[in-house]
Amino acid sequence: MNRHDRDLLAGPGPRLLVPGAVLLPEGTADGWAVTIDDGRFEAVGPADELERAHPQLPAVRLPGHLLMPGFVDAHHHLTQSFGSALAFGEPSEIFRRVWVPLEGALDEESAYTAAKLAALEALRGGFTTVTDAGTRAGVDVDVVASAARDAGIRCVLGLVCNDADQEDATDHPAVLEQAEKHLARYDGEPLIHPSLAVSIPEAATERTLHATARLAAEAGAVVQIHVNEHLAGVERSLVRHGLRPLEHLHSVGALGPQLLAAHATMLTPRELTLLADTGTAVSYNPVASAWKGNAVAPATAMAERGIRFGLGTDGTRGDGFRLAEAAEFAQRLAYGLATGDSSCGAGWTWLERANRGGADAVGLGARTGAVAPGMAADFLLVDVDTPELALSWDLPWELVRRGNRDQITAVFVAGRLRMWHGRPTEWDGPELVRRAAELARAAVARANVTRVHPTSTASRALIRSQDRSTAQ
């Protein structure tokens, strides 16, 4: 597609798009089209029918392109983008040594820039929604909202409600008052959807765990909590409560459809049953498991039991296709090979969890995640006339196994063209990256970051030095 096509796609008012195919919840439909108005899909159906029904709309023809739902990142930390590479080679629970000090070193400009940088990467990778689990930076959370809004990405925005370290018990009502204000603050906002967050179960009192669940359920929002991610956290919970973290949340009444449990990598059969019985949702974060976790969440077992879950990056890398591939690949290595499961959920499972299932998990299932009438027009135009995808036998599988962000021609959020061939259409992406590089160096220098593993270059030099010493 050329500049003229871009101008047609970015134009105001109702539009009729006629791609080569449309990815529907039930599969790929060749020869279908969509009409878009006021940020939503108005009609979805066979192209000839829609063209007859809407003769006043000029058809924007998009041959060789698949129109598909945008990816939903079910777990992110937008203000951690300055330190993403600091996680390489690190053992678990790096939040104590890397993320807490790094976010604590951010001022308002650097927090805004870090969040917008993360949004830029997400949009480039086909994500139309990101779910931010709350920032530890000492700034108003609206700074993060402004960054997402200015970038043009949909954001489920968490407010951290930790209170376990507050000595004065009277502070408990203040935490809940702030939570209520946050849930009401973005009423009517088209792109910002408030949620509550607790870093880990032990970071909040039992009263707050119960109360935030109630507040979120009443508001139709979600509470985000990192749950059963690391062995050390599981063991601390057993020592303190005699219960594993997920069991502890159940005992205080915090499980339910309003809970989004991030990671959930270390689950017993009983805990899987608790998730299924309570309707609790999970963010399955396969790349995070590989980079700095203890285990891989049993996502194929979750799917079989009807447990709600989406896919999350945890800020590792913003490429929706690579995330879907990692989701399937991690299941194959962790569970499929040992049992002879050659399917491991097949391509459709991971593609669906990357969009519609993710939207449901983060509380936006009625708003986004599918190409259907009335849903937000959050979608991608993917070039399928490429060596990787042109010879198609099973497009869902091929998108999971062979898709990548280079094949994304355009990204739309709420019906507006936000990204064209990897560049923002409404603001200066390269200038943001330049400024982010400047601010990141200063922020990391201020932060008391402690890394266990040296850089790859230093590691190689150390190994060679050790080899020389052994030889001598």
Side-chain angles (χ1 to χ4, degrees), residues 277-468:
D277 289 350
T278 59
T280 299
V282 170
S283 176
Y284 165 39
N285 311 321
V287 181
S289 289
W291 284 13
K292 47 86 180 178
N294 285 121
V296 174
T300 45
M302 291 181 193
E304 179 64 26
R305 292 196 182 205
I307 294 169
R308 302 164 55 231
F309 72 92
L311 309 184
T313 65
D314 197 20
T316 51
R317 63 180 180 226
D319 187 324
F321 287 116
R322 290 190 70 186
L323 178 64
E325 180 196 24
E328 187 271 336
F329 197 52
Q331 293 302 297
R332 187 171 299 276
L333 291 179
Y335 305 104
L337 293 180
T339 60
D341 181 0
S342 59
S343 173
C344 288
W348 68 268
T349 296
W350 312 111
L351 202 56
E352 181 177 275
R353 299 295 177 169
N355 46 64
R356 187 164 57 134
D360 170 64
V362 305
L364 299 182
R367 187 182 298 263
T368 188
V371 179
M375 300 291 276
D378 300 345
F379 66 95
L380 314 177
L381 293 176
V382 179
D383 185 356
V384 292
D385 275 351
T386 62
E388 296 83 6
L389 300 174
L391 306 180
S392 177
W393 304 103
D394 185 345
L395 189 56
W397 252 128
E398 288 151 11
L399 290 170
V400 170
R401 284 285 181 84
R402 294 170 65 80
N404 64 75
R405 69 182 177 194
D406 293 342
Q407 295 152 352
I408 299 173
T409 298
V411 179
F412 290 76
V413 181
R416 287 174 59 177
L417 179 62
R418 311 288 183 166
M419 195 72 53
W420 179 258
H421 289 286
R423 286 182 175 264
T425 59
E426 300 174 321
W427 50 278
D428 192 338
E431 172 58 24
L432 174 77
V433 173
R434 183 196 64 77
R435 183 60 177 152
E438 295 173 353
L439 293 172
R441 294 186 188 96
V444 173
R446 289 194 302 268
N448 185 25
V449 171
T450 303
R451 296 187 68 204
V452 174
H453 199 277
T455 66
S456 58
T457 302
S459 176
R460 179 175 60 180
L462 178 62
I463 291 172
R464 288 179 174 176
S465 175
Q466 291 170 342
D467 289 344
R468 286 196 295 270

Side-chain angles (χ1 to χ4, degrees), residues 41 51-52 77 82 106 120 130 169 180 193 284 308 314 317 322 361 383 392 406:
F41 293 112
E51 290 188 65
R52 287 196 300 269
H77 295 272
F82 285 178
L106 300 179
L120 170 60
V130 291
E180 289 185 277
H193 310 279
Y284 165 39
R308 302 164 55 231
D314 197 20
R317 63 180 180 226
R322 290 190 70 186
D383 185 356
S392 177
D406 293 342

Side-chain angles (χ1 to χ4, degrees), residues 238-253:
L238 285 168
V239 170
R240 183 173 181 180
H241 303 292
L243 298 168
R244 297 163 63 85
L246 191 71
E247 293 173 329
H248 174 56
L249 291 175
H250 181 58
S251 73
V252 301

Side-chain angles (χ1 to χ4, degrees), residues 14-39:
R15 280 157 291 164
L16 169 62
L17 307 188
V18 187
V22 177
L23 184 63
L24 304 172
E26 56 270 20
T28 306
D30 295 331
W32 276 44
V34 303
T35 61
I36 299 169
D37 192 17
D38 195 26

Side-chain angles (χ1 to χ4, degrees), residues 33-308:
V34 303
T35 61
I36 299 169
D37 192 17
D38 195 26
R40 296 184 178 278
F41 293 112
E42 290 291 315
V44 179
D48 56 351
E49 293 182 10
L50 292 192
E51 290 188 65
R52 287 196 300 269
H54 301 276
Q56 78 284 6
L57 297 180
V60 183
R61 302 193 183 280
L62 309 164
H65 280 79
L66 172 73
L67 190 153
M68 64 173 285
F71 294 112
V72 175
D73 187 342
H75 184 62
H76 205 314
H77 295 272
L78 295 178
T79 56
Q80 292 181 1
S81 65
F82 285 178
S84 294
L86 296 175
F88 300 159
E90 291 296 295
S92 65
E93 291 205 322
I94 62 170
F95 70 91
R96 299 178 184 276
R97 296 175 285 103
V98 176
W99 303 131
V100 171
L102 177 58
E103 287 183 296
L106 300 179
D107 58 18
E108 188 168 301
E109 183 189 7
S110 56
Y112 172 89
T113 304
K116 194 171 182 181
L117 181 70
L120 170 60
E121 183 183 355
L123 285 166
R124 278 169 45 81
F127 291 100
T128 53
T129 298
V130 291
T131 307
D132 182 73
T135 184
R136 300 179 183 89
V139 300
D140 189 327
V141 71
D142 195 56
V143 170
V144 180
S146 295
R149 192 187 297 116
D150 294 348
I153 198 165
R154 193 176 300 281
C155 180
V156 177
L157 181 64
L159 175 73
V160 175
C161 299
N162 299 351
D163 69 340
D165 60 351
Q166 296 178 357
E167 296 181 3
D168 186 355
T170 61
D171 283 345
H172 171 73
V175 170
L176 298 183
E177 181 180 351
Q178 292 167 2
E180 289 185 277
K181 288 181 178 179
H182 177 72
L183 291 174
R185 185 175 189 177
Y186 299 98
D187 185 42
E189 281 257 6
L191 295 183
I192 308 302
H193 310 279
S195 80
L196 305 179
V198 173
S199 298
I200 50 179
E202 62 197 88
T205 62
E206 294 183 1
R207 291 179 303 172
T208 293
L209 291 172
H210 177 80
T212 52
R214 175 182 57 80
L215 288 173
E218 292 173 353
V222 296
V223 182
Q224 305 177 56
I225 307 180
H226 297 75
V227 180
N228 289 45
E229 180 184 6
H230 301 299
L231 182 60
V234 172
E235 292 179 340
R236 285 195 302 270
S237 182
L238 285 168
V239 170
R240 183 173 181 180
H241 303 292
L243 298 168
R244 297 163 63 85
L246 191 71
E247 293 173 329
H248 174 56
L249 291 175
H250 181 58
S251 73
V252 301
L255 295 191
Q258 81 291 332
L259 178 62
L260 176 60
H263 299 286
T265 59
M266 311 182 75
L267 298 175
T268 64
R270 167 173 163 72
E271 287 172 311
L272 286 169
T273 299
L274 287 176
L275 290 172
D277 289 350
T278 59
T280 299
V282 170
S283 176
Y284 165 39
N285 311 321
V287 181
S289 289
W291 284 13
K292 47 86 180 178
N294 285 121
V296 174
T300 45
M302 291 181 193
E304 179 64 26
R305 292 196 182 205
I307 294 169
R308 302 164 55 231

